[in-house]
Amino acid sequence: MVTIRLSRGGSKKNPFYQIVVADIRSKRDGRYIERLGFYNPTAKGGEVPLRLDRERADHWIRQGAQPTDRAKQLLKQAAREAAAA
């Protein structure tokens, strides 16, 4: 089964997450199929906190990928930001 989830990067106490499509059996920060974007929860100033390729995310969801709870929230947030722009 394929899932859309977050892969952690960054340094200690400074998280940075990649939004990826991965097999459910792979490790959190392990191998992934495709990178859809990123999420920076500590974005300051002019930094972009969320960037996501909505078309590819919708493609993977149509193919049966299951987003995790947090990834689902970020997908909704990206949709709201796209509608506002």
Side-chain angles (χ1 to χ4, degrees):
M1 183 152 99
V2 178
T3 185
I4 299 174
R5 65 183 180 202
L6 301 179
S7 175
R8 192 178 195 282
S11 60
K12 188 175 180 181
K13 297 189 181 186
N14 188 20
F16 188 88
Y17 298 96
Q18 303 291 334
I19 303 169
V20 298
V21 177
D23 189 286
I24 200 161
R25 295 170 292 184
S26 64
K27 296 177 182 179
R28 180 192 71 181
D29 300 333
R31 198 161 97 185
Y32 59 87
I33 300 168
E34 184 177 353
R35 181 177 172 256
L36 301 177
F38 67 83
Y39 171 57
N40 183 3
T42 59
K44 298 178 185 96
E47 294 178 359
V48 179
L50 176 65
R51 183 173 296 149
L52 180 66
D53 187 350
R54 289 281 306 154
E55 287 183 22
R56 292 303 295 168
D58 291 338
H59 165 79
W60 280 106
I61 290 171
R62 282 193 304 271
Q63 298 299 318
Q66 297 293 317
T68 60
D69 292 338
R70 186 64 180 144
K72 198 178 296 185
Q73 290 175 356
L74 292 174
L75 289 168
K76 288 179 184 177
Q77 181 180 341
R80 275 186 263 131
E81 289 175 1

